[in-house]
Amino acid sequence: MTTYENIGATYSTTRRPDPRIAARIHGALGNVASVINVGAGTGSYEPPQTVLAVEPSATMIAQRPADSARALQAAAESIPIADDSADAAMAVLTVHHWNDLEAGIRELRRIARQRIVIFTWDQDINRKFWLLDEYLPEAAAFDEERAVAIDQLTELLGGARIETVPIPHDCSDGFGAAYWRRPEAYLDPAVRAGMSHLALVGEETLHAGLARLSDDLVSGRWQKSHADLLDQETLDVGYRLLIADL
């Protein structure tokens, strides 16, 4: 909860849900009639059948649209609702923030009757992303400490299908690797504020790497080194959907 009380004040400005990613998440949920969104934040990717959003941060809850599902201020590890409260539970880019992963997954399994859908990233792939690999190794090291292994999640879920979610070059949701073809965006403090791994590492730590990125963009060095990216429509930077049937 402390994380987004501190850095989440402008989250809804740069973290607008991307409709293509939304389609993948909603498709993974299938034809369920009711959904609980755990670690819901400002409500990104909640389908129309969402009946409850569980979110520990009041700062994030305050940014939810007025017509969104009812929000319950609570942590994923201890959700004060009955067993089998909805057909499905979803968790979008949140499990890396949970203090007790096993307890959080147990809660998802307890409150969902049919299906669990988790959107997260595979650190083995994401650590190779050019921003982290070439410019901000400090942020990569930070993610190494908090990233949740896909195999671990799959085991805790009791098995899951794993789907790759390539990220479009014009993704509207400004999470960590969303700007893979728009490198200048990472120089914007407002953009960085919406990415927990950059916001929490801090501006002083990132300064030297960002200065090198700025220089490389001005000189054309980045464009030359990453010419292969400039014509790509999507890129696999490690984002994954896990789908578990109960």
Side-chain angles (χ1 to χ4, degrees), residues 5-215:
E5 292 296 350
N6 291 336
I7 71 169
T10 61
Y11 194 84
S12 59
T13 303
T14 60
R15 297 296 301 273
R16 300 181 303 277
D18 186 275
R20 294 152 293 190
I21 297 174
R24 293 293 305 274
I25 293 172
H26 297 174
L29 287 165
N31 295 322
V32 298
S34 56
V35 177
I36 295 173
N37 187 11
V38 178
T42 60
S44 293
Y45 304 110
E46 286 179 6
Q49 64 268 41
T50 303
V51 295
L52 182 67
V54 179
E55 168 57 43
S57 168
T59 297
M60 300 297 273
I61 290 173
Q63 297 175 73
R64 292 175 58 81
D67 60 350
S68 59
R70 178 175 72 89
L72 172 66
Q73 188 172 3
E77 298 89 342
S78 181
I79 304 173
I81 60 176
D83 296 357
D84 299 325
S85 287
D87 288 343
M90 61 184 282
V92 174
L93 296 177
T94 180
V95 295
H96 56 286
H97 291 304
W98 297 357
N99 293 321
D100 186 336
L101 178 67
E102 293 187 9
I105 298 298
R106 281 198 302 271
E107 284 292 82
L108 295 186
R109 292 174 59 86
R110 182 183 67 82
I111 66 175
R113 291 187 289 266
Q114 299 177 21
R115 180 167 291 186
I116 296 170
V117 172
I118 295 176
F119 183 48
T120 185
W121 79 87
D122 185 334
Q123 181 64 8
D124 290 341
I125 297 173
N126 192 254
R127 68 164 63 95
K128 301 172 186 176
F129 174 46
W130 63 260
L131 178 71
L132 304 179
D133 184 48
E134 300 172 27
Y135 296 98
L136 302 180
E138 302 88 354
F142 179 76
D143 272 347
E144 293 291 338
E145 295 296 323
R146 65 180 191 150
V148 179
I150 299 298
D151 289 348
Q152 182 184 10
L153 273 176
T154 301
E155 181 179 356
L156 291 173
L157 288 166
R161 303 194 309 279
I162 302 169
E163 296 183 358
T164 297
V165 182
I167 303 305
H169 72 92
D170 55 351
C171 181
S172 61
D173 190 349
F175 48 71
Y179 300 98
W180 58 267
R181 213 180 87 176
R182 295 169 288 168
E184 64 284 349
Y186 292 109
L187 302 178
D188 185 342
V191 168
R192 296 196 300 273
M195 303 171 178
S196 63
H197 68 320
L198 302 188
L200 292 171
V201 167
E203 292 293 298
E204 183 175 349
T205 301
L206 301 177
H207 177 76
L210 292 171
R212 284 193 296 108
L213 175 58
S214 178
D215 289 345

Side-chain angles (χ1 to χ4, degrees), residues 225-237:
S225 296
H226 298 285
D228 60 312
L229 298 180
L230 299 180
D231 292 325
Q232 292 193 44
E233 295 297 313
T234 64
L235 187 69
D236 178 11
V237 275

